[in-house]
Amino acid sequence: MDFISIIIQAVLLIVGFVLLIKGSDFFVDGASNVASILKIPTLIVGLTIVAFGTSAPEAAVSITSSLSGSNALALSNVIGSNLFNMLLIIGLCALLNELKVGKEVLNLDLPFLVFLTGILTVFILLGWNISRVEGIILLVLIIAYVSYLVYNARKSKESQVVEKPKMSLLKSIIYIVCGVAAIIIGADLVVDSASYIAMAFGMSETLVGLTIVAIGTSLPELATSLTALKKDENQLIIGNVIGSNIFNISLVLGASSAISPIAINPNMLVDIVLMLGVTILFFIFGKTQDKYDKKEGFILVALFIVYMAFAILRN
C-alpha cells in the first residue's frame, strides 16, 4: 500500500469537499443576486435557487459518478446523504432545541418526500436499476413540485418582497461561473479520490458513498441547520433537510439515471429499505406531535450511529 499516494488522495478529497461547499455558496450568492436584479421575489428564490444550491454537491458528485461509470457511488451518496440529513442533522438539532413543524410541511412537503422515496424503492425493486425513463419521471416530478411551490408562493404576501441587489450584474455572473467551475472540479476530485482510497483500503464504493462522500456533501445542510438553530429559525432547519432530500432523489438521481441508467447492487437492498423506513418514521414523528423533541432526537441520532456501525462492519 502506497501511503504517500493515499495521503495525497486524502488531501485532494478534502480540497474537493471545500471546492464543492464554497462553489455552491458562490453559485447561490451569484444566482440570488441576479434574481434580485431581475426583481424575482426573495421567497421564490429561496424555494428554487437556494434549495438547489444546498443539493449542488450531491448533484455534482452523483452526475460525475454516472458519467465515469461509478454508479454505485451515485446511489449510495444520495442514500447516505438523506439518512445523514434526517437522522443526524434533525436528530442533533432536536436534542439541542425542540423543532416545531409547520402545517404546510406536514401536509405537502413531508408526504411528497415519503411518496418520492416510495416511488424510488418501487423503481429499484422492479428491475434492480433506475432506467433513463424512470430518471425522466423523477425529473418531471421535481419540476411539478417546484412549479407548485412557486405558484403557491406567488399568492402569499411574502412573495411580494424583493431583496435589494448586493453586487453588480458582472460580479454576479463571475460568482456563478466560478461557483459552477468549483463545483465541477470539486466533484471530480471527490469521486476520483474517494474511489482511489476505497480500492486502496479494500472498501467498496458503496461504503465510501454511504459514509465519507455522503457526510462531506451534506456539510452545507449541516452548517445551514446549525446556524438556523442559533437564530431559532426552526422552519428553516426542517425545510432545508426535507427540501434537500426531495432534490437528492428527484433531481440528483433523476439527472444521474437519465444520463446513464444506474444498476443496483442487491447488497444495497437493506440501505434502500432503511431509507424508506426512516423517511416514514421521520414523517410519523413529525405528524404525531407537529414537532421533533429531545426523545425523538435521541432515537434519530442513535439510529444513525447504529447504521454507520452496520455499514462499516458489513464492508
Side-chain angles (χ1 to χ4, degrees):
M1 190 183 293
D2 187 348
F3 285 103
I4 294 175
S5 295
I6 291 170
I7 290 169
I8 291 170
Q9 292 300 323
V11 170
L12 289 175
L13 182 67
I14 294 167
V15 170
F17 282 139
V18 171
L19 285 172
L20 279 173
I21 293 162
K22 294 310 295 179
S24 59
D25 282 345
F26 269 64
F27 170 78
V28 168
D29 288 346
S32 299
N33 203 72
V34 169
S36 298
I37 291 169
L38 297 175
K39 300 194 183 304
I40 296 172
T42 306
L43 185 59
I44 294 173
V45 172
L47 291 170
T48 53
I49 295 168
V50 176
F52 172 73
T54 56
S55 289
E58 286 92 344
V61 168
S62 294
I63 292 169
T64 302
S65 299
S66 282
L67 290 171
S68 63
S70 302
N71 281 340
L73 194 60
L75 179 64
S76 59
N77 175 33
V78 166
I79 292 174
S81 180
N82 279 19
L83 288 172
F84 180 86
N85 288 347
M86 290 183 288
L87 296 177
L88 191 65
I89 294 180
I90 293 296
L92 190 61
C93 289
L95 277 174
L96 296 171
N97 189 19
E98 184 177 277
L99 303 176
K100 292 193 179 295
V101 188
K103 282 186 179 180
E104 194 168 337
V105 170
L106 288 172
N107 294 331
L108 172 66
D109 306 297
L110 260 176
F112 185 68
L113 176 59
V114 173
F115 168 74
L116 264 184
T117 310
I119 285 285
L120 177 66
T121 305
V122 169
F123 283 168
I124 289 168
L125 293 177
L126 282 176
W128 289 107
N129 73 347
I130 308 172
S131 67
R132 282 196 174 92
V133 172
E134 289 163 344
I136 291 167
I137 291 171
L138 291 174
L139 289 173
V140 168
L141 285 172
I142 191 61
I143 292 168
Y145 172 72
V146 171
S147 298
Y148 179 78
L149 288 181
V150 171
Y151 170 76
N152 247 15
R154 288 179 67 87
K155 293 193 296 183
S156 71
K157 288 183 180 178
E158 289 178 70
S159 68
Q160 307 308 313
V161 180
V162 177
E163 196 171 301
K164 289 183 180 179
K166 296 174 183 175
M167 59 183 99
S168 67
L169 180 60
L170 178 61
K171 192 175 179 181
S172 301
I173 292 169
I174 292 170
Y175 264 56
I176 292 169
V177 172
C178 290
V180 170
I183 289 169
I184 292 168
I185 294 167
D188 274 334
L189 287 174
V190 167
V191 171
D192 292 344
S193 302
S195 299
Y196 182 92
I197 292 168
M199 288 189 291
F201 282 99
M203 297 165 68
S204 66
E205 265 189 355
T206 299
L207 177 62
V208 174
L210 288 169
T211 54
I212 300 168
V213 176
I215 292 169
T217 54
S218 289
L219 289 177
E221 286 91 342
L222 179 60
T224 302
S225 296
L226 290 176
T227 302
L229 190 68
K230 284 182 183 177
K231 297 178 180 177
D232 203 27
E233 294 177 348
N234 289 354
Q235 293 302 303
L236 185 59
I237 299 169
I238 303 289
N240 179 34
V241 165
I242 294 172
S244 178
N245 283 17
I246 287 171
F247 270 76
N248 285 348
I249 292 173
S250 54
L251 181 67
V252 175
L253 283 182
S256 298
S257 53
I259 291 167
S260 174
I262 300 175
I264 311 299
N265 185 331
N267 292 334
M268 287 196 71
L269 178 61
V270 174
D271 307 285
I272 294 156
V273 172
L274 183 67
M275 181 173 69
L276 177 61
V278 167
T279 306
I280 293 169
L281 180 68
F282 188 65
F283 172 71
I284 292 169
F285 278 175
K287 195 74 174 173
T288 49
Q289 300 184 87
D290 295 349
K291 65 181 180 182
Y292 298 100
D293 57 22
K294 286 187 178 180
K295 180 184 72 176
E296 290 163 339
F298 176 79
I299 293 170
L300 293 173
V301 172
L303 282 173
F304 177 77
I305 293 168
V306 170
Y307 175 67
M308 283 292 106
F310 164 75
I312 292 166
L313 290 172
R314 178 180 59 179
N315 187 71

